[in-house]
Amino acid sequence: MTEIIVVTSGKGGVGKTTTSASMACGLARRGKRVAVIDFDIGLRNLDLIMGCERRVVYDFVNVINGDCALKQALIKDKRLETLHVLAASQTRDKDALTEDGVRRVLDGLIADAFDYIICDSPAGIEKGAHLAMYFADRAVVVVNPEVSSVRDSDRILGLLASKTHRSVNGNGGVKEHLLLTRYNPRRVANGEMMSVEDVKEILGLDVIGVVPESPDVLSASNAGVPVILSETSDAAAAYEDAVARLLGEELPLRFLEEPKRGFFARMFGG
Amino acid sequence: MGLLSLFRSKPNSASIAKERLRIIVAQERGSRGGPDYLPLLRRELLQVIHKYVNVDPEAVQINLEREAGNEVLELSVALPQKPPD
């Protein structure tokens, strides 16, 4: 059985691509066959975050148009054998993605016995975002504890409940999860940032992960190595937990509190 | 800045954010899922009513409710109070 998971948010810049890359790596590291697809047609980015930008020959739209076979366009990850990337096209043609085209590509991946297909949605609620979520079985809604991100997420939840294959055909709907990123426990403690509980209460969804704000996320994207592979990073551990929860493990949320700093650290900074 | 203000607690911005979101999200959820013609229907009904009675635009409420496969369109108009004769 192949499970199709959309990583979406509405608002841009909240960490969809970072999350798609890390979740895909985490699943592949557990031996699952994973394909991660960039739906942001025109603005290809997932390849950079995955570190395979120089190996893109064919893209998503090439496969849809029949310019190449699906296998030719799937880029095999150099680190994880079961992980594959399908890059977005850089075409400016807004109609390059079609429902039928996307369905054919997904069917091809299902026939190829992939365990997971991660759809990295573009920001907004236009066609790319619509098609990224349309065939999903599950949705990971990435949200920052910030007003505009939370409001946009709620809008996306509305679309997931009404404009997806599962909701239209009454197949029990899309299973939805929240994933908070850029979480800053110190600011939450000071009352300057909404807490996990606040966001959970407003959106009324279960939380699959909380990723603390971390300099490691930028370093990882600089290097083209998904942050989940940064061994000593809290952000990596948080993504690893989220992957485990996605697979049904029950783990308590971590990194919700500021790490206790010793006397010297407090005196001399660091 | 007076010395006292150092001790006075600042309004907690996270709770302001939460309260604002709670209200706007509830409002947007309420209008979601209805057919796209609902706002236009509301406007046109208002125009018709306006021909006969001078009502406040806010006094016309349209609600769509779904129950057991039925959709009920509920229209309520609060008429202005009659001036005493």
Side-chain angles (χ1 to χ4, degrees), chain A residues 151 154 191 198 201-202, chain B residues 12 14 18 22 28-29 32:
Chain A
R151 182 201 211 170
D154 192 63
D198 293 340
E201 192 185 316
I202 295 161
Chain B
N12 176 332
K18 188 181 177 188
R22 212 205 305 264
E28 287 174 350
R29 279 183 189 173
R32 187 187 293 160

Side-chain angles (χ1 to χ4, degrees), chain B residues 8-28:
Chain B
R8 206 175 293 144
S9 60
K10 272 188 293 180
N12 176 332
S13 71
S15 54
I16 298 172
K18 188 181 177 188
E19 198 45 40
R20 290 173 61 212
L21 276 169
R22 212 205 305 264
I23 294 166
I24 193 69
V25 162
Q27 189 188 323
E28 287 174 350

Side-chain angles (χ1 to χ4, degrees), chain B residues 62-78:
Chain B
I62 294 187
N63 274 316
L64 188 76
E65 292 197 1
R66 289 192 188 83
E67 40 189 58
N70 285 331
E71 285 188 325
V72 179
L73 186 68
E74 189 184 83
L75 172 73
S76 88
V77 184

Side-chain angles (χ1 to χ4, degrees), chain A residues 143-156:
Chain A
V143 58
N144 291 168
E146 176 271 326
V147 286
S148 53
S149 175
V150 174
R151 182 201 211 170
D152 287 359
S153 296
D154 192 63
R155 186 82 204 280
I156 287 291

